Amino acid sequence: MPGRLSTRLRTSLAAGLAALLLLGVGAWWLRDHMYDAQLEAAEAEAHAQAREISNGYEHGQQLADHGQLPYLVLNSTGQVVIMGGPLTTQHLAGGPPAVVQQPAPDDWQSVQRITIGPAGPVAANRYSGRTFTAMGSWSPLLWPTSEENGQRVKPAVGPFTVYVLATPFAAEASLRTIDPVLRLGVPLAALLVALTAWTATSRALRPVEAIRAQLAEIGEHRLDRRVPVPRSGDEITRMARTTNATLDRLERSAAQQQRFVADASHELRSPIAALRTNLEVSLAHPERTDWPAATQEALTSVERLQQLTEDLLFLARGSHPATAGRLSSVDLSAVLRELADQCRPALGARVALRVDAPEPVLVHGSRIRLHRLARNLLDNARRHAAAEVVLSARRTGHHCVLEVRDDGPGVPPEDRERIFEPFTRLDEARSRDAGGSGLGLAIAADIATRHGGTLRVAPARSGARFVLELPAG
């Protein structure tokens, strides 16, 4: 159909889309995995910094600028008293509270959600309005002591809580680094896969194109040509060998058909020439013509033409299912007995016809064709028999055997295959007056093959012995 995509293009598109899908899923997984890994690292760092800050306050150290991550110190009322790290350290005692949920007293590493509100000094900070994961560290100690008049005084300030914010900035930075690479690399990689598939498919289809070009040049009169067989040993090599084997069969079939047409023309020419000669002589000398004898001779030639035409038509239509008749269970013994009853009057006293088929022998097939097969074998035996023709049928295992024997000169071993070819006559049967058209045995062999059986000439002590083997029905 015009306009359809070629195999090469369809294969390349399929490979490219598959690669794009797989690489896209892989890139998404890699991006997500890197982000999670960076967040886990930030949370671990926040845990460590929270413990360190809490330990510093516990020992009376002021660590307002400690650590690389932002942190908050809340008093017992939840107000931010220290904001340190990159948040720009400020003392916010009494200032606006941050939105913070206090942890339980025994929760050492609770993960809280903390929002840096836009109010107060935090408003100008770049963290304003964002929500972070906070690693909380709670300490029951008081605010670090101070000195007044040389005395260490502990202010009456309740316990405090340290929150270190596990920021996603490192994870976001890694994504900003890898995202451009993935956005550019994934389509380029998919395009590279598609181009590779295009190249590989082009190389794989090159022998196919050579085979196609050679087949396009093979015509009716050039059946001797063959397609090239690649050395790869793959499916294309097997296809090329199968194609050459098919061309061999076509060449043999064409040669056989040409020989068949030539033989048929030759066989038709003889009775037509005899009929024409008889009529021309009779018309040229009507006063000296024995008209009943001339008419009988013409009728004989017409009958021979009719028989030959029917045989040719049978061979031509033999492969059509409609000509086979209804398939059913056929008793070969009954077929032989019926055939013998029909042919005994024509045989007369010269040839004795005996039937050896005491039991039913059932096969599955066309009764019309099997009757034709047996009749052709009987006609052949009748023409060559000296005194007797024997018809027999029996069952042996999973096969049914039909035999036709005569006591004539027999068939030489070198001709036992050739006699089943159309228009084949042995030297002893060259007379067309005594012999047939040379199609009877060819038709019989064709019927046997179409019924899944075989027809052959078996060795015999005297005469000819034709053996038909069919699958038991």
Side-chain angles (χ1 to χ4, degrees), residues 449-467:
T449 301
R450 297 187 187 281
H451 281 74
T454 59
L455 178 61
R456 59 187 174 87
V457 180
R461 287 180 294 179
S462 63
R465 178 177 167 229
F466 287 83
V467 179

Side-chain angles (χ1 to χ4, degrees), residues 319-334:
S319 60
H320 199 284
T323 64
R326 186 172 59 89
L327 299 180
S328 61
S329 180
V330 181
D331 185 2
L332 293 181
S333 299

